[in-house]
Amino acid sequence: MTIFQQRQQWLQDEMRKRGWSGFLVTHNVDIYYYCGSMQTGYLFIPTEGEAIYLVRRSLVRAEEEAAAAVEALGSWKTLGERLRARCAGADAAAGNPLRIATELDVLPVQLYMRLQTALPGAVWEDGSLLVREQRMIKSPDEVAAIRAAARVVDDALEAVIPHIREGMAEFELMALIEHQLRLRGHQGLMRMRAYNSELITGMVATGASAAVPTYFDGPAGGTGLHPSSPQSSGRALIQRGDPILVDIGCTIDGYLIDQTRTVVIGDLDLELQRAYDVAEEVLRATEARLQPGTIAEHLYLLALDQVQEAGLSAHFMGYGADQVKFLGHGIGLEIDELPVLAKGFKYPLEPGMVIAIEPKFTFPGRGVVGIEDTYLITEDGYEKLTVSRAGIRRL
């Protein structure tokens, strides 16, 4: 049995507990997670029996890749009949309404309405949280891909740092980093689940421009090159003494690493240096509590206490109305996975979770400093997957 079939089986077990008839997987990343292919179409996993991958294109690729029966999507007029035929449970046989789950957190309304028309009388359930919770726990192969991505990020960063110079534009530095990442196998995109959120390689910005707020749900914004892309690297020039925030990721075999390092030509001023030191202290204190059973929310609340004691609460994870309310986030096929280290997230840490932790401090008009590492929760603690050396990189 492949890892994809094991995932399907787990989902079927959970569906039986809930009395669901099947799960229609529509989100590309989730389709890949459950069957190993990402061709255009829909994966239907009935509560009993074999999954079916209904593909618009490419059928040939899907047949080569998918751990599921593959059929052409065909006409929407017959879709409902074909899905109903796969639901062999007592409800289907008795003519009771089918209960079909799907990922309502990302499903377009127009598609939802088409599905309602195709399956009249079906009851639609929101299965998105169930999928996201299953994906929290990574398999050894998933962790291996994240480890590989961490090595690529480190190699790329080391190749680029000697080329950083005064007067270099942010976007030029980002281009050098992206070039080195791509040469080493980075897939060129980092997926996010959040609606209307986009990310390519991360956020590289210097001085005041790094502290410019934006729509992106993170502690550092960046101006971007244009209001149509209002985040990350812009045209600001690197100056001596300004912090350069290098918050970058990499995708290998679909899986992401996320890390941040602070770089400076010369030295930071004393206030920024102290804030960076507190960021490292927060990270070390959080590491000390990374073990199975620790509640995700508690790590965030402890960080808030530590930052308040240091007198830096106003600058922690953003500034003013643009502060974000988390310390870290799960990572895997997407950069914004569960669990989130934030208030209200009661998940106990479990072996197999992979979490990026990113204490940062934002100073409007001056810059952003901080650090981010990615960790695997193990049976007796944690393994740091990030391999780039810590500390401010002074040039």
Side-chain angles (χ1 to χ4, degrees):
M1 181 181 292
T2 68
I3 185 64
F4 303 107
Q5 291 166 325
Q6 291 173 16
R7 292 167 182 167
Q8 294 171 22
Q9 189 174 78
W10 183 94
L11 186 61
Q12 289 176 319
D13 290 343
E14 293 299 315
M15 286 194 290
R16 279 191 286 271
K17 295 176 185 177
R18 292 161 174 78
W20 296 350
S21 310
F23 200 116
L24 185 66
V25 187
T26 69
H27 188 50
N28 275 352
V29 171
D30 293 338
I31 290 172
Y32 172 77
Y33 180 78
Y34 284 112
C35 81
S37 183
M38 200 184 283
Q39 300 303 307
T40 303
Y42 310 106
L43 178 69
F44 185 66
I45 305 173
T47 302
E48 305 289 345
E50 185 181 17
I52 181 172
Y53 192 12
L54 300 166
V55 178
R56 178 177 292 116
R57 62 173 302 172
S58 162
L59 193 67
V60 172
R61 283 285 299 273
E63 288 172 339
E64 293 173 351
E65 298 167 345
V70 176
E71 293 182 9
L73 177 60
S75 170
W76 272 83
K77 293 181 179 179
T78 64
L79 179 63
E81 297 172 6
R82 296 163 72 188
L83 296 183
R84 192 177 295 276
R86 291 271 167 170
C87 298
D91 283 347
N96 294 331
L98 298 180
R99 295 179 63 196
I100 308 294
T102 190
E103 311 109 310
L104 293 182
D105 64 331
V106 292
L107 186 70
V109 173
Q110 186 180 64
L111 177 56
Y112 180 54
M113 293 172 69
R114 291 189 74 183
L115 290 171
Q116 288 179 310
T117 300
L119 275 167
V123 176
W124 290 91
E125 305 279 358
D126 186 4
S128 52
L129 184 61
L130 180 61
V131 171
R132 296 186 71 197
E133 288 178 340
Q134 182 180 4
R135 284 177 45 196
M136 281 196 305
I137 309 301
K138 272 60 182 183
S139 69
D141 286 346
E142 290 177 294
V143 174
I146 298 171
R147 283 199 191 97
R151 291 191 294 271
V152 167
V153 162
D154 183 51
D155 290 344
L157 186 61
E158 292 301 318
V160 167
I161 279 181
H163 298 282
I164 299 175
R165 67 184 190 281
E166 288 186 70
M168 172 184 281
E170 292 172 346
F171 72 83
E172 183 181 355
L173 175 54
M174 176 62 102
L176 291 178
I177 292 171
E178 289 177 327
H179 178 64
Q180 291 298 324
L181 289 171
R182 291 287 276 162
L183 288 176
R184 291 166 170 81
H186 171 44
Q187 291 175 198
L189 77 164
M190 298 170 64
R191 291 188 169 93
M192 297 191 69
R193 195 175 191 94
Y195 180 65
N196 276 351
S197 291
E198 299 169 322
L199 197 60
I200 299 174
T201 307
M203 207 287 279
V204 175
T206 182
S209 70
V212 173
T214 188
Y215 76 95
F216 187 77
D217 191 21
T223 61
L225 290 169
H226 187 267
S228 65
S229 180
Q231 189 260 336
S232 190
S233 304
R235 293 179 171 83
L237 304 182
I238 293 171
Q239 304 294 335
R240 177 171 293 271
D242 284 348
I244 308 166
L245 195 74
V246 183
D247 183 349
I248 54 176
C250 172
T251 309
I252 299 294
D253 296 340
Y255 287 86
L256 304 166
I257 191 71
D258 195 8
Q259 75 167 49
T260 299
R261 293 296 182 266
T262 299
V263 181
V264 63
I265 299 175
D267 292 300
L268 296 175
D269 69 40
L270 292 179
E271 187 177 16
L272 292 178
Q273 178 65 57
R274 177 174 177 269
Y276 178 83
D277 292 340
V278 172
E280 286 228 2
E281 290 169 6
V282 169
L283 189 63
R284 301 287 93 82
T286 305
E287 285 178 348
R289 297 174 174 86
L290 289 181
Q291 54 188 354
T294 298
I295 304 301
E297 175 189 58
H298 292 174
L299 295 173
Y300 174 63
L301 297 177
L302 288 167
L304 290 182
D305 290 342
Q306 195 172 355
V307 169
Q308 183 175 27
E309 186 176 343
L312 288 168
S313 296
H315 300 274
F316 185 54
M317 302 299 284
Y319 188 82
D322 293 298
Q323 282 183 302
V324 296
K325 307 298 183 183
F326 66 88
L327 173 65
H329 51 90
I331 193 167
L333 288 166
E334 294 167 316
I335 204 164
D336 50 347
E337 297 195 359
L338 296 176
V340 183
L341 305 187
K343 190 172 182 179
F345 287 83
K346 307 293 187 180
Y347 294 103
L349 300 187
E350 298 180 51
M353 288 180 174
V354 176
I355 304 169
I357 303 172
E358 51 174 321
K360 294 168 184 166
F361 294 93
T362 299
F363 294 82
R366 299 169 68 191
V368 181
V369 296
I371 186 170
E372 179 178 20
D373 284 322
T374 298
Y375 301 85
L376 168 69
I377 305 302
T378 64
E379 295 288 345
D380 55 0
Y382 70 88
E383 174 191 344
K384 187 167 75 169
L385 300 179
T386 312
V387 296
S388 292
R389 66 181 177 86
I392 293 176
R393 301 298 296 268
R394 292 181 172 83
L395 307 177

